[in-house]
Amino acid sequence: MRADIESLLVAQREKQEQSFTVKPLSLTLNRRQFLKATAVGSCGLVVGISLNASANASSAKQAAEFNPNAFIHLQKDGSVLIYCGRCEMGQGISTALPSVVADEMEADWSRVTVEQAEGDQDKYGSQATGGSASIRTMYEPMRKAGAVAREMLVAAAAKVWATSPDNCYAENHFVINKTNQQKLSYGELASVAATMPTPENPTLKAKSDFRYIGSHLPRHDVSLVIQGKRQYGVDTKVDGMQYAAIVHCPVMGGTLKSVDKTEAMKVQGVTAVVEIAPMKVPFGSLGGVAVVANNSWSAQQGVEKLKVEWDRGEHGSYNTSDYMKMLVENVEKPANKITERGDVESAFANAAHKVSATYTEGHLVHAPMEPNASVVSVQDGACEVWASTQSPDDIQSVLSQFLGIDKKAIKVNVMISGGAFGRKFKCDYVQEAAAISKAVGTPIQLTWTREEDTRTGFYHSNSAQHIEASLDKDGNVTGWLHRAAFPSINTLFDPSVQFAPANAMSEVENHPYGIANLRSESGLAPAHTRIGWYRAVYAIFWGFAYGVFTDELAEKAGVDTATMLRRLYDSNSNPKQAEQVRRSRGVLDLVVAQSGYGKALPEGEGIGIAVHHSFLSYVAMAVHVRMKGDDFEVLRVDSAVDCGQVLNKDGATAQQEGAVAMGISLAKYCEVSFENGAVVNSNFHDYPVMRINDMPDVHVHFVDSDAKPTGLGEPGMAPFAPALSNAIYQASGTRYRSLPIQPMRT
């Protein structure tokens, strides 16, 4: 049998030497194209997309004799290299998606190596990583890519054994002959499999046959992380590299009036001072002054020695305290109508009871542990980038405009990010490094200080919401008026936007509560700083207002919050929202059952609950608190999650635990303040985040579902703060309607 395989290999190799070429395939992520492309090599099988054979992106690939760049690369020794096309930033996507490929391929996970794909949308489809979209958009293509490989390996074994593929099956890195139980390893079959036709519609596994999908699979790189050997973007070093630090105008739209670089140039190691002009694109630099040196410390010290004068421009008077008063005023009076159904005025006029409340939230900044950092080399009409990023394509687009070169001349090496949360979707820090490299003629590592990261970011919208509702004599909600005012992310692309548009206000119309009479209105809220995506985005303040107001409605109706939630869901008869209602009810019932909600508690303790549907996933949280004077301690959090099919329970659980940790931070500590147009905060001493001793006991409960998988990066954030506020009210009788929640703040 082995001789038969060798003769096939020799014949195949001779054929390849005479005629083998691999041509690039232009790809927008078309499922048929994704599955169809394949390439043939001398001792390996590649499945996914056929690419330029000379594009070597990894040491593992270079060591192989057959080196096309694709999602799956099987070598003759049986090792499998799987590329992750989406960006890893701690969320575990580089384990979850490759494990789906390995599962359908029937690969032995211990023989799989995972590598991050470089930035190339033609090869990998969209690589933009955000909006909890990676799992839901890539799950099926990754399954099919793995299934294609499995069926080609089975076909190869059938060819060797001169039998039908129906007489063979794949299992844990082998193909087995049903008739006589003979086995051939994947490595032995690789080159033969590469000659097999690519199946158009491979058969996917049944859920009962999953090996990795739905299991608890540790991160593929966990040992590197634990040992401190994982290479993040800020760790990048290249030959001939210089270091840069930067200072920006502290006010959006401000400009440089003058700079005196005399003292900066006297700092030992400093080689240049570079002025960077603003780039008028959404993710381009605000403009600033950079100091270049032969080490990072000298660059930072040089920035400290600069004497810079700024023109603060039209936003130089921005003050968040005054702005919040304006937002509250704008939601407590009639505003621009966005949507309406039924007759709210009539419902209010005939109400047995009315409830009204106003909720506010301050700006937030992303504060990842790894500040903005990139290495860029601009030379001879080409550019190479090493960056922690969520969107390599945006880097290529912005640099293409800035440098005046084709996107394909810009290579982006995607580095793992030490946190991102939406900040690293924007590539101003990469464009700045490119500007410096172009000016000085060497590769540049630009690293923002923590202070610069805090003071020159893209900030989560501050907001105010005012809700009024009517109840009948039985405690049923009959009418709902919801006004909101917040600077919209749309202002990044159109600064003239003054009101949150309909798409940003859609939460009110699409919320699963069954309310016959409803109106939403948008209040005036112009932007005075850069507004950007932050983990969970608008769901943070929508979830807070809905969650706390529902608790207030329950109190007025004389029922507990779970009962009020069920009433609101059960009153929704819209067939288009039936699934949304059912799954919201499902996580509510699960968290109530698992958390002990409603049980008797010691004095000074309380359990609050909240439910929110965002990014196509459903999360209910129960938060158990104990009061400590005017302060509080979170003892336990139960999180019930319906995200469809869970890919990796280990990673999914970590996402919920991370949402709790970040939720505590924004609920208890975090708020960015502006005075005279500039951010007041600078570092973790005045923008504190949760410390390890604040971490509660977290229990995550997943709904067993056959529904298509959805994401978990964002959805866990929204229900935490309202559940916490409701728990504090249960424990103390003090109602908090503002974020952050602070002792005696109302």
Side-chain angles (χ1 to χ4, degrees):
M1 187 62 65
R2 293 294 182 269
D4 292 339
I5 296 175
E6 287 300 324
S7 63
L8 283 168
L9 293 178
V10 169
Q12 180 60 28
R13 183 173 294 116
E14 290 175 350
K15 181 179 179 181
Q16 290 163 3
E17 288 172 352
Q18 294 171 3
S19 62
F20 173 59
T21 59
V22 181
K23 297 180 180 180
L25 173 68
S26 176
L27 179 75
T28 54
L29 195 58
N30 175 295
R31 188 175 301 155
R32 180 180 178 87
Q33 287 176 313
F34 184 92
L35 295 172
K36 188 174 181 179
T38 186
V40 177
S42 61
C43 62
L45 166 68
V46 60
V47 177
I49 299 171
S50 59
L51 306 167
N52 189 325
S54 65
N56 299 329
S58 72
S59 57
K61 184 173 57 176
Q62 289 168 351
E65 294 180 30
F66 179 54
N67 292 328
N69 183 358
F71 281 100
I72 302 173
H73 187 106
L74 173 63
Q75 301 181 78
K76 67 177 181 180
D77 64 359
S79 60
V80 180
L81 177 62
I82 300 178
Y83 285 93
C84 179
R86 295 299 176 105
C87 305
E88 176 63 58
M89 47 189 163
Q91 83 279 39
I93 198 70
S94 63
T95 299
L97 287 178
S99 73
V100 171
V101 177
D103 200 325
E104 284 289 353
M105 187 178 171
E106 270 296 323
D108 180 347
W109 185 248
S110 68
R111 306 196 70 180
V112 171
T113 299
V114 176
E115 289 198 10
Q116 179 68 54
E118 67 181 19
D120 194 321
Q121 188 163 302
D122 288 341
K123 294 178 183 179
Y124 303 105
S126 173
Q127 294 174 276
T129 306
S132 297
S134 294
I135 295 295
R136 74 171 185 265
T137 57
M138 295 303 294
Y139 175 67
E140 187 174 348
M142 292 295 94
R143 286 190 70 185
K144 289 190 173 183
V148 164
R150 168 172 41 82
E151 291 195 358
M152 293 175 74
L153 287 159
V154 168
K159 182 175 182 178
V160 171
W161 288 321
T163 187
S164 168
D166 292 338
N167 291 331
C168 309
Y169 66 95
E171 183 178 83
N172 199 30
H173 236 70
F174 287 89
V175 178
I176 301 170
N177 190 321
K178 295 178 184 178
T179 304
N180 54 25
Q181 300 305 303
Q182 284 184 305
K183 290 184 177 182
L184 288 171
S185 72
Y186 278 6
E188 292 172 309
L189 291 168
S191 292
V192 182
T195 70
M196 297 295 104
T198 304
E200 292 283 343
N201 295 295
T203 301
L204 301 180
K205 285 184 174 183
K207 183 175 181 178
S208 58
D209 294 329
F210 288 163
R211 294 167 58 83
Y212 309 126
I213 299 171
S215 69
H216 290 270
L217 197 65
R219 285 180 58 118
H220 72 94
D221 59 351
V222 66
S223 63
L224 296 176
V225 174
I226 291 172
Q227 296 176 68
K229 294 181 179 179
R230 194 67 162 93
Q231 294 294 300
Y232 295 84
V234 75
D235 298 320
T236 305
K237 301 290 185 291
V238 301
D239 291 342
M241 183 180 81
Q242 294 194 83
Y243 299 80
I246 193 168
V247 61
H248 304 87
C249 180
V251 181
M252 181 180 73
T255 56
L256 178 66
K257 290 177 67 175
S258 65
V259 57
D260 183 345
K261 61 183 181 181
T262 305
E263 295 301 315
M265 291 299 298
K266 293 179 182 178
V267 175
Q268 185 176 4
V270 169
T271 60
V273 174
V274 179
E275 296 178 23
I276 300 173
M279 187 178 180
K280 301 298 184 181
V281 297
F283 302 152
S285 174
L286 284 172
V289 183
V291 174
V292 182
N294 56 27
N295 64 85
S296 58
W297 177 251
S298 293
Q300 292 174 17
Q301 292 305 296
V303 166
E304 294 292 326
K305 298 292 186 181
L306 290 172
K307 296 179 182 178
V308 186
E309 187 177 0
W310 305 101
D311 181 343
R312 295 191 169 219
E314 63 178 307
H315 301 294
S317 61
Y318 181 43
N319 181 294
T320 43
S321 178
D322 293 339
Y323 188 80
M324 183 57 71
K325 292 176 184 177
M326 182 198 75
L327 291 182
V328 170
E329 290 175 2
N330 289 346
V331 297
E332 291 184 345
K333 64 184 180 183
N336 286 353
K337 185 175 73 174
I338 299 297
T339 187
E340 185 170 23
R341 63 173 179 257
D343 188 340
V344 172
E345 282 78 9
S346 178
F348 285 2
N350 295 306
H353 306 284
K354 285 188 67 179
V355 179
S356 66
T358 299
Y359 303 92
T360 62
E361 179 206 25
H363 282 301
L364 300 170
V365 69
H366 304 83
M369 292 306 296
E370 178 194 35
N372 292 326
S374 65
V375 173
V376 180
S377 178
V378 178
Q379 292 182 345
D380 300 326
C383 178
E384 185 163 9
V385 175
W386 296 260
S388 299
T389 180
Q390 293 177 250
S391 184
D393 186 65
D394 277 309
I395 289 175
Q396 291 170 319
S397 295
V398 170
L399 292 191
S400 175
Q401 294 178 65
F402 173 67
L403 297 171
I405 61 177
D406 190 271
K407 285 177 63 174
K408 295 184 182 300
I410 301 167
K411 180 179 180 180
V412 179
N413 301 288
V414 179
M415 312 299 292
I416 184 175
S417 295
F421 315 119
R423 176 59 178 94
K424 292 172 184 173
F425 238 112
K426 300 88 173 178
C427 53
D428 49 347
Y429 59 102
V430 182
Q431 187 249 314
E432 291 169 348
I436 303 166
S437 177
K438 182 179 179 182
V440 302
T442 68
I444 289 292
Q445 182 186 74
L446 172 64
T447 305
W448 289 22
T449 62
R450 172 68 56 195
E451 289 76 13
E452 206 63 26
D453 209 30
T454 302
R455 292 174 174 166
T456 320
F458 290 77
Y459 300 93
H460 176 61
S461 306
N462 48 2
S463 65
Q465 296 175 78
H466 179 76
I467 312 176
E468 298 177 14
S470 56
L471 295 88
D472 63 19
K473 61 182 178 59
D474 297 319
N476 299 305
V477 178
T478 59
W480 189 290
L481 169 65
H482 200 133
R483 297 193 192 104
F486 53 91
S488 165
I489 293 170
N490 294 49
T491 58
L492 267 182
F493 309 97
D494 181 2
S496 69
V497 171
Q498 300 284 300
F499 297 85
N503 67 327
M505 292 286 297
S506 61
E507 173 72 31
V508 181
E509 182 180 9
N510 298 327
H511 201 83
Y513 290 176
I515 300 169
N517 306 294
L518 178 145
R519 183 166 69 240
S520 66
E521 298 176 2
S522 177
L524 179 69
H528 296 291
T529 188
R530 296 191 295 182
I531 303 299
W533 298 279
Y534 178 97
R535 186 180 185 184
V537 203
Y538 301 143
I540 295 174
F541 54 72
W542 290 127
F544 183 68
Y546 269 98
V548 178
F549 191 68
T550 302
D551 197 69
E552 299 196 48
L553 288 173
E555 182 182 30
K556 177 62 72 173
V559 298
D560 65 28
T561 307
T563 299
M564 177 55 73
L565 282 162
R566 293 185 183 110
R567 286 183 183 180
L568 288 164
Y569 293 140
D570 292 348
S571 62
N572 190 337
S573 59
N574 183 352
K576 294 181 179 179
Q577 290 188 296
E579 180 181 7
Q580 192 177 351
V581 168
R582 176 182 60 81
R583 295 173 76 174
S584 296
R585 276 277 322 240
V587 292
L588 169 64
D589 293 341
L590 179 57
V591 85
V592 167
Q594 294 293 332
S595 66
Y597 174 78
K599 69 182 180 182
L601 295 172
E603 185 177 354
E605 295 186 17
I607 298 178
I609 59 171
V611 184
H612 201 71
H613 164 235
S614 62
F615 300 92
L616 305 183
S617 293
Y618 303 79
V619 181
M621 281 192 179
V623 176
H624 185 177
V625 303
R626 177 192 296 140
M627 301 307 296
K628 300 170 66 177
D630 292 334
D631 204 351
F632 58 88
E633 177 185 9
V634 181
L635 302 177
R636 172 175 168 139
V637 177
D638 285 88
S639 179
V641 181
D642 183 351
C643 59
Q645 172 65 56
V646 180
L647 268 62
N648 180 7
K649 288 183 178 177
D650 185 78
T653 299
Q655 286 280 33
Q656 292 302 292
E657 293 167 340
V660 169
M662 202 164 179
I664 289 176
S665 294
L666 69 87
K668 192 171 183 179
Y669 303 114
C670 295
E671 182 175 14
V672 170
S673 299
F674 284 73
E675 292 180 7
N676 298 319
V679 173
V680 173
N681 317 70
S682 61
N683 209 315
F684 289 129
H685 70 284
D686 55 9
Y687 189 82
V689 296
M690 192 208 79
R691 299 296 192 262
I692 190 65
N693 57 305
D694 286 334
M695 189 67 188
D697 188 18
V698 179
H699 298 259
V700 183
H701 317 281
F702 293 105
V703 173
D704 185 15
S705 175
D706 294 326
K708 292 180 179 180
T710 50
L712 280 180
E714 274 98 349
M717 293 286 288
F720 177 82
L724 171 63
S725 179
N726 297 341
I728 293 171
Y729 184 73
Q730 293 294 319
S732 68
T734 301
R735 177 73 71 185
Y736 292 95
R737 299 190 180 107
S738 297
L739 291 176
I741 294 169
Q742 294 174 344
M744 302 311 294
R745 175 174 173 163
T746 60

